[in-house]
Amino acid sequence: MSRHSIQSGLGGPFGAVVVKDGEIVAKAHNQVTSTNDPTAHAEVVAIREACKALNTFQLTGCEIYTSCEPCPMCMGAIYWARPDRVYYANTKVDAAKIGFDDQFIYEELEVPIADRKLSMTQMMQKEALEVFQEWDEKTDKVEY
């Protein structure tokens, strides 16, 4: 999938596959540049497709195979999807050597919000907390 991505001109050199019970349920390649979607990393696209195919929002019982150690965004998506295991080929150091360096994100996550490079301003907390309270009291919610 990673080679297909670059040879077809559809995205960067990344691919991912989701497997359940020894069967491929989804496969994807990086589609950032071809879809103008910065979240269309191979792992995220594969997770979306696998969840559609399995009609679930959790990938318990699944394994993810990816061409590279997942970036921070993909790691977040993987943790939320809850697969049993992840296998990867290249490391984040390998990716950085060819221009895909996510180290600044890892570092930025450790910086207090007020000191981050991306300005973040809290607003409307009272109104937002009311919605959280409504969710907390909802008796028929689907937990995830």
Side-chain angles (χ1 to χ4, degrees):
M1 294 306 304
S2 57
R3 181 169 280 124
H4 167 74
S5 184
I6 62 170
Q7 289 178 345
S8 64
L10 295 173
F14 305 98
V17 175
V18 178
V19 173
K20 183 170 180 126
D21 300 325
E23 299 291 326
I24 294 174
V25 294
K27 57 185 178 177
H29 58 83
N30 180 284
Q31 299 175 26
V32 171
T33 58
S34 60
T35 63
N36 294 317
D37 179 354
T39 69
H41 289 199
E43 298 91 336
V44 172
V45 175
I47 288 168
R48 290 174 182 162
E49 294 302 317
C51 288
K52 285 180 197 173
L54 297 172
N55 195 32
T56 183
F57 54 84
Q58 292 186 347
L59 298 177
T60 305
C62 294
E63 299 170 328
I64 297 178
Y65 294 80
T66 181
S67 62
C68 190
E69 181 179 357
C71 75
M73 176 184 68
C74 292
M75 280 303 299
I78 289 167
Y79 272 100
W80 279 114
R82 295 178 176 87
D84 292 353
R85 190 166 183 89
V86 175
Y87 298 92
Y88 65 94
N90 294 311
T91 68
K92 64 183 179 180
V93 173
D94 298 327
K97 288 178 182 176
I98 63 163
F100 295 96
D101 191 353
D102 299 321
Q103 188 59 38
F104 76 97
I105 298 172
Y106 290 106
E107 292 170 6
E108 193 76 357
L109 290 173
E110 299 298 322
V111 175
I113 290 175
D115 298 329
R116 291 184 181 166
K117 293 175 184 166
L118 179 62
S119 176
M120 299 179 75
T121 305
Q122 185 178 20
M123 55 183 275
M124 298 181 65
Q125 184 182 22
K126 179 180 179 261
E127 295 84 352
L129 283 172
E130 290 171 3
V131 177
F132 271 21
Q133 184 66 36
E134 186 177 332
W135 170 260
D136 192 43
E137 295 170 359
K138 187 173 173 61
T139 58
D140 62 342
K141 63 187 168 200
V142 177
E143 301 271 356
Y144 61 97

